[in-house]
Amino acid sequence: MDTIPIMKRHVLIFGLVGGVLIATLQYTEYRFVVIEHSVELYSALVAILFAAFGIWLGLRITRNRETIRETVVVREVLVPAEAPAPEPFAPNTAQQQTLGITARELETLTLIARGFSNREIATQLFVSENTVKTHCARAFDKLGAARRTQAVQRGKELGLLP
Amino acid sequence: MDTIPIMKRHVLIFGLVGGVLIATLQYTEYRFVVIEHSVELYSALVAILFAAFGIWLGLRITRNRETIRETVVVREVLVPAEAPAPEPFAPNTAQQQTLGITARELETLTLIARGFSNREIATQLFVSENTVKTHCARAFDKLGAARRTQAVQRGKELGLLP
DNA sequence: TGAAAAATCATCCGAAAGGGTGACGACATT
DNA sequence: AATGTCGTCACCCTTTCGGATGATTTTTCA
């Protein structure tokens, strides 16, 4: 499946989508010229396709900024001891720094702690399962964990996970 | 090629593809009957329109997430001398009863939560690994969990685990 | 602008985990 | 004696994980 050298994949995908779109249009032109009502049909299809694609793109281009903000916006607030149930959890960024755990790795860890499988995590993060496994492996290594349950345990001990 | 900030390259490429698409469509207009050209034009317009909409939507989604995160990220720093963490944890026996989780199963769950493998648990409990797996399977079934991390998560939610 | 860091993806392989089924003995209840 | 629960163990099979390695792309930063 991956025999294609991975160049500028975006351009490739764009080209493919565009090509397929054009081909489809031209093909349907011959086949369905007579059918007038099919215009709305594939207009709608194209619309849905591009809307989904646009959403994906929007998510993608803003994702990085989001992670930045996540690390930057941490402001420290003194909380009295009797404050019960401090639900908003902020990971111990100091620990994270010293261990060299990246934002993405921590993100993966939290999803592991919630009981998701690698595949589910991959879906939620819009990456491949292989990528998730890489994040896992590196996070485990930095945490000195051999299993995900152990990683979660360690993460909670270190204040990285709620 | 670009002195343009790389962040917006995606959008740029997208726009270019859109332009190419339109150009192609208009080119084909000359080669085919004039009657159909409105279809393609319409499709292209709809596509671009919805792509823009999708991007806007994607941006909006992530922006909301950001604002949420911004309000949520509050970090307590100095929780003065909390009571020395009364370690004795009492599992919610009521929940355990209603779920029909046996003592041995809960014991296994606890060790799972501490990050042990089945083999290690078997050693600690002086039973075979198969037995541990049986306990796991039954506990997972009663908790509605498919993975041990999920079982741990559920167990903590239900007050079965510390 | 160029190096470093981070994120992404893949492949191979072995180990661990999970599902299903069946079975057996101990023990308590009925 | 019959029944039921619990703990124990085994086998088979599939899926998921984890380790090791190499590569490319994107982002950050000096």
Side-chain angles (χ1 to χ4, degrees), chain A residues 2 8 35 48 71 93 102 106 118 143:
Chain A
D2 197 39
K8 306 227 171 190
I35 308 174
I48 291 174
T71 59
T93 42
T102 69
L106 183 58
N118 285 342
L143 284 172

PDB file of all heavy atoms in Angstrom, chain A residues 2 8 35 48 71 93 102 106 118 143:
ATOM      1  N   ASP A   2       2.050   1.059   0.538  1.00  0.00           N
ATOM      2  CA  ASP A   2       2.887   2.227   0.741  1.00  0.00           C
ATOM      3  C   ASP A   2       4.080   2.237  -0.184  1.00  0.00           C
ATOM      4  O   ASP A   2       5.145   2.696   0.163  1.00  0.00           O
ATOM      5  CB  ASP A   2       3.347   2.235   2.193  1.00  0.00           C
ATOM      6  CG  ASP A   2       3.856   3.597   2.583  1.00  0.00           C
ATOM      7  OD1 ASP A   2       3.242   4.580   2.147  1.00  0.00           O
ATOM      8  OD2 ASP A   2       4.867   3.656   3.238  1.00  0.00           O
ATOM      9  N   LYS A   8       5.674  15.080  -1.306  1.00  0.00           N
ATOM     10  CA  LYS A   8       4.706  16.043  -0.809  1.00  0.00           C
ATOM     11  C   LYS A   8       3.340  15.410  -0.914  1.00  0.00           C
ATOM     12  O   LYS A   8       2.667  15.488  -1.943  1.00  0.00           O
ATOM     13  CB  LYS A   8       4.751  17.324  -1.629  1.00  0.00           C
ATOM     14  CG  LYS A   8       6.138  17.911  -1.693  1.00  0.00           C
ATOM     15  CD  LYS A   8       6.062  19.378  -1.405  1.00  0.00           C
ATOM     16  CE  LYS A   8       7.443  19.964  -1.247  1.00  0.00           C
ATOM     17  NZ  LYS A   8       7.371  21.326  -0.733  1.00  0.00           N
ATOM     18  N   ILE A  35     -29.914  13.324 -18.299  1.00  0.00           N
ATOM     19  CA  ILE A  35     -30.642  13.396 -17.040  1.00  0.00           C
ATOM     20  C   ILE A  35     -30.370  14.733 -16.381  1.00  0.00           C
ATOM     21  O   ILE A  35     -29.297  14.975 -15.864  1.00  0.00           O
ATOM     22  CB  ILE A  35     -30.225  12.248 -16.121  1.00  0.00           C
ATOM     23  CG1 ILE A  35     -30.336  10.923 -16.875  1.00  0.00           C
ATOM     24  CG2 ILE A  35     -31.101  12.222 -14.886  1.00  0.00           C
ATOM     25  CD1 ILE A  35     -29.803   9.741 -16.106  1.00  0.00           C
ATOM     26  N   ILE A  48     -20.421  18.000  -0.325  1.00  0.00           N
ATOM     27  CA  ILE A  48     -20.147  17.249   0.900  1.00  0.00           C
ATOM     28  C   ILE A  48     -18.678  16.880   0.973  1.00  0.00           C
ATOM     29  O   ILE A  48     -18.015  17.043   1.998  1.00  0.00           O
ATOM     30  CB  ILE A  48     -21.025  15.984   0.938  1.00  0.00           C
ATOM     31  CG1 ILE A  48     -22.486  16.382   1.136  1.00  0.00           C
ATOM     32  CG2 ILE A  48     -20.563  15.058   2.050  1.00  0.00           C
ATOM     33  CD1 ILE A  48     -23.440  15.222   1.044  1.00  0.00           C
ATOM     34  N   THR A  71       0.713  24.493  26.032  1.00  0.00           N
ATOM     35  CA  THR A  71       1.855  24.540  26.925  1.00  0.00           C
ATOM     36  C   THR A  71       2.090  25.953  27.434  1.00  0.00           C
ATOM     37  O   THR A  71       2.625  26.139  28.500  1.00  0.00           O
ATOM     38  CB  THR A  71       3.116  24.058  26.194  1.00  0.00           C
ATOM     39  OG1 THR A  71       3.333  24.905  25.070  1.00  0.00           O
ATOM     40  CG2 THR A  71       2.942  22.646  25.722  1.00  0.00           C
ATOM     41  N   THR A  93       3.821  20.262  34.208  1.00  0.00           N
ATOM     42  CA  THR A  93       4.693  20.539  33.065  1.00  0.00           C
ATOM     43  C   THR A  93       6.163  20.459  33.440  1.00  0.00           C
ATOM     44  O   THR A  93       7.007  20.195  32.582  1.00  0.00           O
ATOM     45  CB  THR A  93       4.390  21.933  32.497  1.00  0.00           C
ATOM     46  OG1 THR A  93       4.217  22.828  33.575  1.00  0.00           O
ATOM     47  CG2 THR A  93       3.148  21.898  31.649  1.00  0.00           C
ATOM     48  N   THR A 102       7.005  14.922  25.152  1.00  0.00           N
ATOM     49  CA  THR A 102       6.453  15.945  24.279  1.00  0.00           C
ATOM     50  C   THR A 102       4.935  16.042  24.446  1.00  0.00           C
ATOM     51  O   THR A 102       4.308  15.199  25.085  1.00  0.00           O
ATOM     52  CB  THR A 102       6.762  15.630  22.812  1.00  0.00           C
ATOM     53  OG1 THR A 102       6.006  14.476  22.420  1.00  0.00           O
ATOM     54  CG2 THR A 102       8.230  15.328  22.631  1.00  0.00           C
ATOM     55  N   LEU A 106       2.220  13.125  25.574  1.00  0.00           N
ATOM     56  CA  LEU A 106       1.335  13.249  26.734  1.00  0.00           C
ATOM     57  C   LEU A 106      -0.121  13.094  26.319  1.00  0.00           C
ATOM     58  O   LEU A 106      -0.916  12.462  27.021  1.00  0.00           O
ATOM     59  CB  LEU A 106       1.547  14.604  27.402  1.00  0.00           C
ATOM     60  CG  LEU A 106       0.742  14.835  28.670  1.00  0.00           C
ATOM     61  CD1 LEU A 106       1.041  13.786  29.706  1.00  0.00           C
ATOM     62  CD2 LEU A 106       1.014  16.221  29.235  1.00  0.00           C
ATOM     63  N   ASN A 118      -4.895   1.568  20.662  1.00  0.00           N
ATOM     64  CA  ASN A 118      -4.063   2.365  19.766  1.00  0.00           C
ATOM     65  C   ASN A 118      -4.857   2.808  18.543  1.00  0.00           C
ATOM     66  O   ASN A 118      -4.709   3.934  18.077  1.00  0.00           O
ATOM     67  CB  ASN A 118      -2.843   1.561  19.330  1.00  0.00           C
ATOM     68  CG  ASN A 118      -1.814   1.475  20.447  1.00  0.00           C
ATOM     69  OD1 ASN A 118      -1.850   2.256  21.381  1.00  0.00           O
ATOM     70  ND2 ASN A 118      -0.917   0.528  20.344  1.00  0.00           N
ATOM     71  N   LEU A 143       9.144   7.066  30.557  1.00  0.00           N
ATOM     72  CA  LEU A 143       8.533   6.817  31.858  1.00  0.00           C
ATOM     73  C   LEU A 143       9.104   5.571  32.516  1.00  0.00           C
ATOM     74  O   LEU A 143       8.782   5.276  33.680  1.00  0.00           O
ATOM     75  CB  LEU A 143       7.017   6.653  31.701  1.00  0.00           C
ATOM     76  CG  LEU A 143       6.214   7.933  31.479  1.00  0.00           C
ATOM     77  CD1 LEU A 143       4.777   7.602  31.151  1.00  0.00           C
ATOM     78  CD2 LEU A 143       6.276   8.805  32.718  1.00  0.00           C
TER      79      LEU A 143
END
